[in-house]
Amino acid sequence: MSEGRLCYGKRLLSLPNVSRVSKETDVQTKLDVISRDVQAVVKSIKTHFKNGMLARECILTCHSRLEDDDSKEWFSKFQHTTVGGLSVVIAAMEYHCTDALFSEAASHLLCTLINFSGKKQLRVIQKVAKRGGSKLSVTLLNIHKAQNARLFANICNILCVLTSVDIRTTTMCRLSGGITTLVGVMKNGPSETLSAALTCICSLCSKCDGNVQAIVKKGAVPTLTDLTQRILNSLIASCENPQQQAQQQQLMLLRYVCKTINLLTRVEEAVGQLVREGAVMTMFRILEMFGTVGELQRLALDTIRVLADNPDGMSHFRSVGGTQKIVSLLLDMNNDKTGDQLLDIVNHLFKFHDICELPIRHEEEVTFNIKATPESQGRDDEGTPADQRDMSVFSPELSLFDVHPYSQLGVTGSVEPFSKIRPLDDLKASPSCASVLEYVPQASEELHVTSEAAKTELMKHELLRLTMPERVMNVVVYDDIQRTVSPPQPLFPGMFEVGGKELLKKSHVPSLTFSSRFESGNLKRVLRVYATEYDLILNCDVNSAYHTQWFYFSVENIVPGIPYKFNIINLEKTSSLFNEGQQPVFFSEREFTKHGKGWHRNGTKVAYMRNPYRKRDPMPCDIDRVVTLEKKKSKPSSSKKEDPASAMSSAMRRLDYRSQGTYYTLTFTVTFKHEDDRCYFAHSYPYTYSDLQRYLRLIPQQYPNVSDYLENQELCKSVGRNSVNLLTITTMKRPDGSSVPQEEIAQRKVCFISARVHPGESCSSWMVKGLIDFLIDPYIEEAKQLRDRIVWKIVPMLNPDGVINGNYRCSLTCRDLNREWHQPSLEFSPEILAFKNLVKQVKTRENRNVLVFCDMHGHSRHRNFFMYGCNPVRRNVVVTPSLILERVLPKILSDMVPGFCYGTSSFKVQKAKEATGRVVVWRELGIRLSYTIEASMMGGTMYHYNTQNYMDIGKGLCHGLAPFLSIEGDPAILRLGDIVHELITSIGGPNAAITPAAQKTRPPQQLPRAETMGARELIQRKRASFVDKRADRSSAVDTSASSNDVKVPLPQEQQDEDDDDDDDEPDDDDDDDDDEDEEIDEGAQYIDFSSFSFT
């Protein structure tokens, strides 16, 4: 033990905290006792604050705690605010900043505190920054430089972590001379300090271009290029005398150097210097030597890409072989890589290659102009203002006059032709007869996961398009409208129209004939790149530059037995279920006529990956829409005028973010079976506006007495002048022909159901069709009971304009209608305005009991069926049956419907969702059971969903509401027994409190069998009926995601809610902080439960 440490131990004997320690124990024991007492250590540092040697010994005592089992707890207590250890150490470092030994020990302690802080690391770093850690670190750096390698490394480490939380550190380091010191160490410092200096430089330059310029002015470019050459020569020499540890150190140093050079390329002056210093050749040398080292590979490619923009850099780039040299080099170096590893290389090559525009101009597009119709002027067709329109006509079950129960919308022999703006002039309509639409495969269709070998083949094929451009045709074979503007220059060199036509003449395979000029079709342009490979470009939503997801097109002129490859090259989403087993849906006319086979899944070698095509700039309608959203979001007070410039600036930032990056490609291969065939491809099972009208028109023929309980009305006209249907289903006449008294009907609960607000989510139409089929069936007793006790208001297609014209998300006015509920307008969203007014009419003016509001959607990035509700429960709140009412219906469905996953459901209310229908009717109208029900466009974990699976979830919703209607008493929901108890336990824990009212009626697990088993037996019986039906037709849905098999009983509240698939734009407030209490609207959350007095 050192003399200083013994002296320190003797001084500690006088401290009151150790006065109780026995005098016979030696000094080392006393030191151990003191080190376990955090407050004593902090106090001793304060006591010997001005004595550098003793203060250093106190800090070394803290280091001795590293070997103890409870070291993490000790250091957590040490840095706690009440103890003040962190502040004392920083203050001592400032006082003894010129003492190298003390600074070394104290800086090492700071690094230790940061590393041991675990989840609280960010908070510790913020404390260090708040107490002047940045200024202190720069001061120590300038004083000691690299004289003490360990001290220098500690300071650089502290600067790196402080930069992540305090951007001022970067500026302070430049203005205080820290950048100069670091560059000097990099030039003349010892080799053991190079890694620390380069790491700190990268951290300081990554967030501040001013630091990059300062480093360039200090002459860092020649130093870095020379250092790179020396490291490469050293690595070559080490290969002859291999020393594994030395090679790893050199590789790490080379990685830091390449990262620094890559950061310097952001300054134009540095680019010129790097080119003159031969950086292009150096980066090629790195690729040749270390092409299989992923990070070095990416850094070298990114650097070459920037340097090639310089004229001299381009000449150097071409002199060493250019793009073809890089591709061939990487292929040779990465032959052992497959699948996702090779995909990473291809994606980075596309990033390296010149990012280009899609091979199409956007000047010639189909657009929609809002005309000065009565609706666009704020009045309906009769000239009545929208806010004064009488909505009572849409309650025909309460009408005082003689109503024709089934309106002329669905009874007439011919339906008024729909209005469209796209050229839907295909002489042959899309397949839409009843037998085609309702075809269900005899066996479940398994998910198709592309093998690693197939992925590898796809990636290498993409690389060959770079190396052999002379084989690429690049000939336009289809346009949805006539275009005269020439497309941009193709991506790959040598891909010109003339050469492509010459290759086309030599091809023995005729070109396919494409079409999307039919209802709901979406295909903009097709380019033939090889004899049997085609690049496809989709239309964005009308008046928008975004929302490319839905595709629906046909092909003809097929040669059977040949595999054709299709690449859809302008998809927007960064991930897709197509990488997890989803296949496109496919229909063959010959296959249907010969074997009766309708829509089914098809396609092999399915993959989804990024491509090099730049996203489009926003259109004027996109800007107007987002500016409107920003104005609504700001909600200015009456005393403060709204700032239009601020809203415009915020909107442009969001659109710029959306336009950044590149598109993604969906590729799949199909081998056709028949000659003279016409085949169709779609993202999901199509269901058009004409299909809906045909279905409604045929209902009276199937059920002659349907007029006794069904009314079909026109809720409103859409912006495109198409009818929006409203179906009212409830018993209006008794079996003897007498009318049901209006007073009795008025006492019935009301359920609002809507679907297809997003046109590309076609599965929602099948869901609502299953619900309607069940409710109108006169031979199902349960359906009759639901009609007797509930008034169903159903809007089966809220966005007919988008469906007709092949949009994915928006209406013709470039509006996402599910974000218009807060302030709908007659000009842009008349469908939402009319539907919201109808809900208000029933809820407030007619004062009727609304049981459920449910909006049906499809989801392109999640599996299974699930729900979004509005039930944010605060932490540390007593969980009662009334509090979790909103969670009961999803739980019932998970027990009843195979494939419904309660564990994926979410009940958060996020700011980004405040304008959706689900949240607005919950918050403004107090409808607690307000849901969005989601259906995966793919399926479960093993099988695809088909149309019958989607219709079953609509039927399941009806079955799920049945237990609610058989409950009596107060609190009524307790009669669900073990279901409610399971929910209370999962939310509040096993010891969750029960309200006094609940205790009086006994806990659910203690209820008599007659009270608890009614709902449970009903649920199990319905689930069994679903499974039995699947077994009968040998098409069982994948039930692996049912809540009975899911191990997570509580919904994943912490996951990012992706309500109705995607947000329109990125939103900073889209994710809630999981550490904070969820937002609760008191008026909506705690409605008097007596309003749900079920009868």
Side-chain angles (χ1 to χ4, degrees):
M1 183 178 295
S2 66
E3 183 179 352
R5 196 167 178 81
L6 285 172
C7 178
Y8 170 61
K10 293 176 182 179
R11 294 287 300 273
L12 290 176
L13 294 177
S14 61
L15 293 177
N17 288 28
V18 293
S19 60
R20 60 181 179 271
V21 179
S22 175
K23 298 285 184 176
E24 288 111 24
T25 56
D26 57 10
V27 176
Q28 183 63 47
T29 303
K30 294 182 179 63
L31 291 174
D32 292 340
V33 173
I34 289 300
S35 65
R36 297 179 189 279
D37 192 335
V38 178
Q39 293 184 354
V41 172
V42 174
K43 185 175 181 179
S44 62
I45 297 176
K46 292 180 180 179
T47 304
H48 310 299
F49 184 80
K50 296 184 179 181
N51 191 323
M53 185 182 68
L54 293 180
R56 176 172 173 267
E57 291 299 331
C58 295
I59 290 176
L60 291 175
T61 303
C62 298
H63 290 307
S64 67
R65 296 290 308 187
L66 286 172
E67 300 177 359
D68 296 345
D69 295 336
D70 59 344
S71 56
K72 289 186 178 181
E73 292 78 4
W74 195 94
F75 279 102
S76 175
K77 187 180 296 184
F78 181 84
Q79 58 85 23
H80 200 275
T81 305
T82 57
V83 177
L86 201 61
S87 302
V88 172
V89 172
I90 293 176
M93 289 177 67
E94 291 177 352
Y95 188 83
H96 300 285
C97 61
T98 57
D99 187 344
L101 293 177
F102 180 86
S103 298
E104 177 189 341
S107 61
H108 182 56
L109 178 60
L110 276 183
C111 295
T112 304
L113 287 172
I114 293 172
N115 294 332
F116 270 78
S117 52
K119 294 181 179 180
K120 299 180 180 179
Q121 187 178 48
L122 180 60
R123 190 175 301 174
V124 174
I125 298 173
Q126 290 172 341
K127 288 181 180 180
V128 174
K130 186 177 180 180
R131 287 161 175 76
S134 301
K135 184 178 180 180
L136 174 62
S137 300
V138 176
T139 302
L140 293 173
L141 183 66
N142 291 331
I143 292 175
H144 300 284
K145 295 183 171 58
Q147 298 172 3
N148 186 322
R150 188 173 180 182
L151 173 59
F152 181 79
N154 290 338
I155 296 172
C156 290
N157 187 17
I158 295 171
L159 281 174
C160 289
V161 296
L162 290 177
T163 304
S164 63
V165 299
D166 188 4
I167 192 64
R168 295 173 299 179
T169 305
T170 59
T171 306
M172 185 186 303
C173 195
R174 182 178 74 253
L175 299 179
S176 301
I179 293 293
T180 304
T181 301
L182 289 171
V183 174
V185 172
M186 186 178 63
K187 289 182 177 180
N188 306 312
S191 58
E192 57 267 22
T193 60
L194 274 177
S195 296
L198 290 170
T199 305
C200 191
I201 288 174
C202 292
S203 179
L204 293 171
C205 293
S206 61
K207 296 184 178 181
C208 182
D209 289 344
N211 287 348
V212 178
Q213 295 174 352
I215 290 175
V216 174
K217 291 180 180 178
K218 300 297 180 182
V221 172
T223 303
L224 288 170
T225 52
D226 180 65
L227 182 60
T228 307
Q229 293 292 349
R230 285 194 282 117
I231 295 173
L232 292 176
N233 294 334
S234 175
L235 286 169
I236 293 174
S238 64
C239 293
E240 300 175 358
N241 300 308
Q243 295 181 3
Q244 187 67 22
Q245 185 176 0
Q247 285 185 358
Q248 291 297 328
Q249 292 177 354
Q250 292 293 319
L251 279 174
M252 183 179 297
L253 187 59
L254 180 62
R255 191 177 297 115
Y256 291 141
V257 174
C258 290
K259 188 174 182 180
T260 306
I261 291 176
N262 186 259
L263 287 171
L264 295 184
T265 56
R266 297 191 305 195
V267 178
E268 187 175 353
E269 179 184 352
V271 172
Q273 291 187 32
L274 286 169
V275 171
R276 290 191 294 272
E277 293 291 336
V280 176
M281 310 295 183
T282 303
M283 293 299 118
F284 263 95
R285 190 179 175 190
I286 291 175
L287 285 177
E288 291 175 352
M289 293 179 60
F290 310 104
T292 57
V293 182
E295 188 175 358
L296 277 177
Q297 191 179 75
R298 289 189 290 271
L299 290 171
L301 285 173
D302 286 343
T303 304
I304 293 174
R305 179 177 177 271
V306 178
L307 297 180
D309 291 337
N310 183 281
D312 294 334
M314 178 57 71
S315 62
H316 292 181
F317 177 64
R318 290 174 178 170
S319 66
V320 293
T323 302
Q324 295 187 17
K325 172 69 175 178
I326 288 180
V327 175
S328 59
L329 180 64
L330 291 179
L331 279 175
D332 294 338
M333 298 294 291
N334 295 279
N335 275 330
D336 58 327
K337 292 188 178 180
T338 60
D340 293 335
Q341 292 179 330
L342 194 60
L343 175 62
D344 182 61
I345 297 173
V346 173
N347 284 341
H348 211 76
L349 269 176
F350 282 156
K351 180 182 177 182
F352 152 75
H353 201 282
D354 290 338
I355 303 298
C356 72
E357 304 290 339
L358 284 170
I360 189 171
R361 295 290 186 189
H362 303 292
E363 289 81 359
E364 298 174 318
E365 291 209 351
V366 175
T367 58
F368 175 76
N369 296 320
I370 301 177
K371 300 178 181 178
T373 61
E375 287 196 348
S376 65
Q377 296 173 352
R379 296 175 178 271
D380 60 14
D381 292 338
E382 288 76 23
T384 306
D387 56 354
Q388 299 179 14
R389 188 180 181 189
D390 183 15
M391 301 301 293
S392 63
V393 297
F394 300 110
S395 296
E397 69 279 8
L398 301 178
S399 298
L400 300 177
F401 49 87
D402 187 16
V403 180
H404 295 287
Y406 202 91
S407 73
Q408 293 186 351
L409 275 178
V411 172
T412 54
S414 61
V415 180
E416 180 182 353
F418 57 77
S419 174
K420 85 277 186 190
I421 63 169
R422 293 200 191 276
L424 310 182
D425 54 359
D426 198 318
L427 298 179
K428 198 170 185 180
S430 60
S432 58
C433 64
S435 56
V436 172
L437 291 176
E438 298 181 5
Y439 167 80
V440 178
Q442 294 182 354
S444 299
E445 298 174 295
E446 294 185 359
L447 302 182
H448 174 81
V449 180
T450 304
S451 65
E452 289 293 313
K455 285 184 180 180
T456 303
E457 181 183 345
L458 288 172
M459 300 309 109
K460 292 185 176 181
H461 175 74
E462 294 300 321
L463 291 175
L464 289 176
R465 290 183 65 174
L466 288 171
T467 56
M468 292 182 287
E470 66 278 359
R471 297 186 180 181
V472 180
M473 297 180 182
N474 200 62
V475 177
V476 177
V477 296
Y478 172 76
D479 270 324
D480 62 336
I481 60 174
Q482 185 176 1
R483 291 183 170 86
T484 58
V485 181
S486 300
Q489 184 175 347
L491 168 64
F492 304 108
M495 291 169 55
F496 300 102
E497 289 288 334
V498 176
K501 291 179 179 178
E502 293 178 356
L503 291 172
L504 188 61
K505 293 178 182 178
K506 298 178 182 179
S507 174
H508 299 290
V509 180
S511 175
L512 293 177
T513 303
F514 291 81
S515 177
S516 63
R517 300 188 186 99
F518 44 78
E519 188 179 356
S520 297
N522 189 326
L523 183 62
K524 188 173 187 176
R525 166 168 283 189
V526 180
L527 295 96
R528 190 181 187 188
V529 293
Y530 291 105
T532 58
E533 181 175 352
Y534 297 84
D535 282 352
L536 284 63
I537 301 174
L538 303 181
N539 275 304
C540 301
D541 284 1
V542 175
N543 285 2
S544 175
Y546 309 120
H547 310 301
T548 52
Q549 181 76 15
W550 169 259
F551 59 88
Y552 185 18
F553 60 89
S554 68
V555 294
E556 293 181 279
N557 202 24
I558 296 165
V559 177
I562 297 179
Y564 289 87
K565 184 180 179 183
F566 302 92
N567 309 313
I568 302 177
I569 63 174
N570 67 326
L571 298 175
E572 290 183 335
K573 296 183 180 179
T574 57
S575 61
S576 173
L577 290 175
F578 284 107
N579 270 342
E580 301 181 28
Q582 183 178 357
Q583 296 171 283
V585 295
F586 172 82
F587 176 82
S588 165
E589 291 184 349
R590 290 286 184 182
E591 191 74 13
F592 178 70
T593 55
K594 288 185 177 182
H595 307 291
K597 191 173 184 179
W599 286 98
H600 60 281
R601 305 282 179 171
N602 197 359
T604 59
K605 299 180 180 179
V606 182
Y608 191 89
M609 61 183 180
R610 198 172 68 85
N611 63 38
Y613 297 108
R614 182 186 296 110
K615 291 183 179 179
R616 290 180 56 181
D617 294 328
M619 292 180 65
C621 285
D622 291 309
I623 299 174
D624 294 342
R625 172 174 54 86
V626 179
V627 168
T628 303
L629 289 174
E630 289 297 326
K631 291 179 179 179
K632 292 179 181 179
K633 186 178 177 181
S634 61
K635 298 180 181 179
S637 60
S638 57
S639 60
K640 184 178 179 181
K641 292 185 178 180
E642 182 179 351
D643 184 8
S646 176
M648 174 64 77
S649 176
S650 179
M652 292 308 298
R653 283 198 304 271
R654 296 179 69 174
L655 289 174
D656 287 344
Y657 181 88
R658 188 179 182 91
S659 298
Q660 288 177 359
T662 61
Y663 286 111
Y664 287 76
T665 293
L666 167 64
T667 178
F668 57 92
T669 301
V670 175
T671 302
F672 301 98
K673 297 181 180 180
H674 307 284
E675 290 183 339
D676 299 328
D677 194 5
R678 187 180 190 183
C679 299
Y680 297 81
F681 295 92
H683 183 267
S684 184
Y685 296 98
Y687 195 93
T688 66
Y689 180 74
S690 296
D691 295 332
L692 173 64
Q693 299 305 321
R694 186 180 301 106
Y695 167 72
L696 296 177
R697 188 172 65 249
L698 295 176
I699 287 178
Q701 302 177 19
Q702 186 177 5
Y703 304 119
N705 296 325
V706 73
S707 59
D708 294 344
Y709 50 81
L710 187 146
E711 171 80 12
N712 179 16
Q713 296 174 284
E714 182 186 88
L715 178 65
C716 65
K717 287 285 189 183
S718 67
V719 173
R721 310 304 297 160
N722 290 296
S723 297
V724 177
N725 296 84
L726 170 67
L727 306 182
T728 300
I729 301 177
T730 193
T731 302
M732 291 177 279
K733 286 187 178 182
R734 304 188 189 278
D736 58 4
S738 62
S739 298
V740 178
Q742 297 177 16
E743 295 78 8
E744 179 181 336
I745 296 178
Q747 295 301 316
R748 297 174 183 171
K749 294 172 177 58
V750 183
C751 290
F752 288 96
I753 308 293
S754 63
R756 213 62 184 278
V757 68
H758 293 149
E761 298 167 8
S762 58
C763 54
S764 64
S765 284
W766 292 102
M767 294 159 66
V768 77
K769 181 179 184 297
L771 181 140
I772 296 171
D773 283 346
F774 178 82
L775 289 176
I776 65 175
D777 194 327
Y779 306 109
I780 301 178
E781 180 61 27
E782 187 176 353
K784 179 181 181 301
Q785 294 179 6
L786 290 174
R787 294 194 302 266
D788 291 343
R789 308 179 73 171
I790 295 177
V791 177
W792 298 82
K793 299 286 185 180
I794 304 172
V795 181
M797 193 170 286
L798 259 176
N799 191 350
D801 296 339
V803 173
I804 292 169
N805 293 282
N807 281 7
Y808 172 63
R809 191 172 183 87
C810 298
S811 65
L812 298 184
T813 59
C814 189
R815 294 295 199 277
D816 179 352
L817 296 184
N818 201 35
R819 297 297 188 275
E820 294 287 308
W821 277 82
H822 185 58
Q823 292 179 348
S825 67
L826 200 58
E827 181 180 8
F828 294 107
S829 50
E831 307 93 334
I832 302 301
L833 179 62
F835 194 26
K836 183 178 180 180
N837 286 341
L838 174 61
V839 179
K840 282 184 177 180
Q841 168 75 22
V842 173
K843 177 68 176 177
T844 59
R845 298 177 184 174
E846 298 177 1
N847 197 26
R848 298 164 73 183
N849 191 345
V850 178
L851 177 62
V852 169
F853 175 93
C854 185
D855 192 15
M856 296 182 171
H857 288 263
H859 211 294
S860 67
R861 292 193 285 186
H862 284 343
R863 301 170 185 261
N864 309 311
F865 302 106
F866 54 96
M867 269 182 162
Y868 292 122
C870 303
N871 184 232
V873 179
R874 289 185 182 272
R875 295 184 177 182
N876 302 322
V877 172
V878 177
V879 181
T880 64
S882 175
L883 189 65
I884 50 91
L885 172 68
E886 293 84 350
R887 301 177 186 241
V888 175
L889 179 58
K891 185 62 177 175
I892 291 175
L893 291 178
S894 69
D895 290 343
M896 181 185 300
V897 181
F900 190 97
C901 185
Y902 178 79
T904 313
S905 300
S906 177
F907 303 89
K908 298 172 70 173
V909 179
Q910 297 177 323
K911 293 181 180 179
K913 315 297 181 182
E914 289 183 343
T916 61
R918 166 178 67 93
V919 177
V920 168
V921 300
W922 170 74
R923 177 163 289 159
E924 295 184 7
L925 303 178
I927 300 175
R928 294 187 62 179
L929 302 187
S930 179
Y931 301 102
T932 296
I933 185 168
E934 299 276 357
S936 172
M937 294 185 184
M938 180 183 74
T941 56
M942 297 175 60
Y943 300 102
H944 284 101
Y945 288 159
N946 53 46
T947 55
Q948 187 61 50
N949 302 141
Y950 293 126
M951 289 192 291
D952 283 346
I953 195 65
K955 299 175 184 177
L957 181 61
C958 299
H959 292 307
L961 290 175
F964 284 85
L965 303 178
S966 60
I967 302 169
E968 300 178 358
D970 188 22
I973 203 64
L974 266 181
R975 300 297 183 173
L976 283 173
D978 53 342
I979 296 178
V980 176
H981 181 66
E982 181 181 349
L983 287 172
I984 293 177
T985 303
S986 64
I987 297 172
N991 299 321
I994 304 294
T995 61
Q999 292 176 356
K1000 291 179 182 179
T1001 55
R1002 296 182 304 279
Q1005 68 273 22
Q1006 299 177 3
L1007 288 176
R1009 179 178 178 83
E1011 295 178 347
T1012 59
M1013 294 304 294
R1016 174 63 74 180
E1017 288 180 345
L1018 175 62
I1019 292 171
Q1020 296 298 337
R1021 186 173 69 250
K1022 295 304 178 185
R1023 180 180 176 86
S1025 68
F1026 274 107
V1027 177
D1028 291 342
K1029 291 178 182 178
R1030 301 290 192 285
D1032 291 341
R1033 61 172 177 266
S1034 301
S1035 180
V1037 68
D1038 180 17
T1039 61
S1040 58
S1042 177
S1043 66
N1044 290 338
D1045 300 323
V1046 173
K1047 303 302 181 183
V1048 183
L1050 183 64
Q1052 299 174 2
E1053 304 271 6
Q1054 286 77 20
Q1055 72 179 2
D1056 297 338
E1057 182 184 352
D1058 196 12
D1059 195 0
D1060 51 74
D1061 209 5
D1062 292 324
D1063 286 336
D1064 261 345
E1065 303 87 13
D1067 195 313
D1068 294 337
D1069 299 326
D1070 194 36
D1071 298 328
D1072 290 338
D1073 188 354
D1074 294 330
D1075 293 333
E1076 301 294 335
D1077 292 337
E1078 295 177 359
E1079 178 184 4
I1080 289 188
D1081 187 298
E1082 301 292 342
Q1085 180 64 26
Y1086 296 103
I1087 299 174
D1088 185 8
F1089 192 73
S1090 61
S1091 62
F1092 288 86
S1093 55
F1094 301 105
T1095 58

